[in-house]
């Protein structure tokens, strides 16, 4: 689980290493969509607009991270 309780899905900084991680308390429900999204990363095709925010690359987006961290509700199940 990440501090912000958002999963980590997709490409990493290591070549050919992709992750589906930090599924927190919703991993059973999110498994198929998470796997599909990760497959999009592997295939390198068009990805939905939420792909980057759900990837490890979001930590480089200071505006997004500031917004996420300011939220009081982390969506804890
Ligand atoms: C009490 C509880 C209730 C939940 N209820 C829900 C729910 O209602 N709905 C929902 O969507 N999600 C729910 N979840 C969350 C869901 O179970 C998880 O998000 C999901 O199981 C995560 O899947 P995973 O494959 O990433 O990790 P895991 O299911 O944790 O699998 C990781 C596997 O890796 C193995 N492993 C760990 N370290 C090593 C190692 N060094 N070498 C080899 N193997 C290793 C572990 O033994 C384990 O089998 C619940 C979780 C809990 C704890």
């Amino acid at each position: 689980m990440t501090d912000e309780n958002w999963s980590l899905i997709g490409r990493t900084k290591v070549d050919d290493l992709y992750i589906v991680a930090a599924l927190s308390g919703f991993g059973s429900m999110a498994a198929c969509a998470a796997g599909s999204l990760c497959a999009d990363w592997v295939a390198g095709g068009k990805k939905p607009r939420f792909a980057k925010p759900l990837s490890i690359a979001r930590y480089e987006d200071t505006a997004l991270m500031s917004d996420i961290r300011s939220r009081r509700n982390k969506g804890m199940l």
Side-chain angles (χ1 to χ4, degrees):
M1 180 181 171
T2 58
D3 281 346
E4 64 275 18
N5 198 26
W6 284 29
S7 299
L8 291 169
I9 300 165
R11 176 181 291 160
T12 67
K13 289 184 175 173
V14 178
D15 283 348
D16 297 327
L17 178 68
Y18 298 82
I19 54 172
V20 174
L23 293 170
S24 188
F26 44 80
S28 302
M29 295 180 284
C32 293
S36 175
L37 181 58
C38 193
D40 287 342
W41 278 101
V42 173
K46 193 169 186 290
K47 287 177 278 300
R49 62 180 175 76
F50 52 79
K52 194 170 173 189
L54 280 180
S55 78
I56 207 162
R58 73 168 170 268
Y59 294 110
E60 290 161 13
D61 185 337
T62 50
L64 173 65
M65 290 312 299
S66 173
D67 177 36
I68 295 173
R69 287 176 175 141
S70 72
R71 297 177 193 184
R72 291 168 67 191
N73 186 342
K74 292 186 177 184
M76 292 288 294
L77 293 183

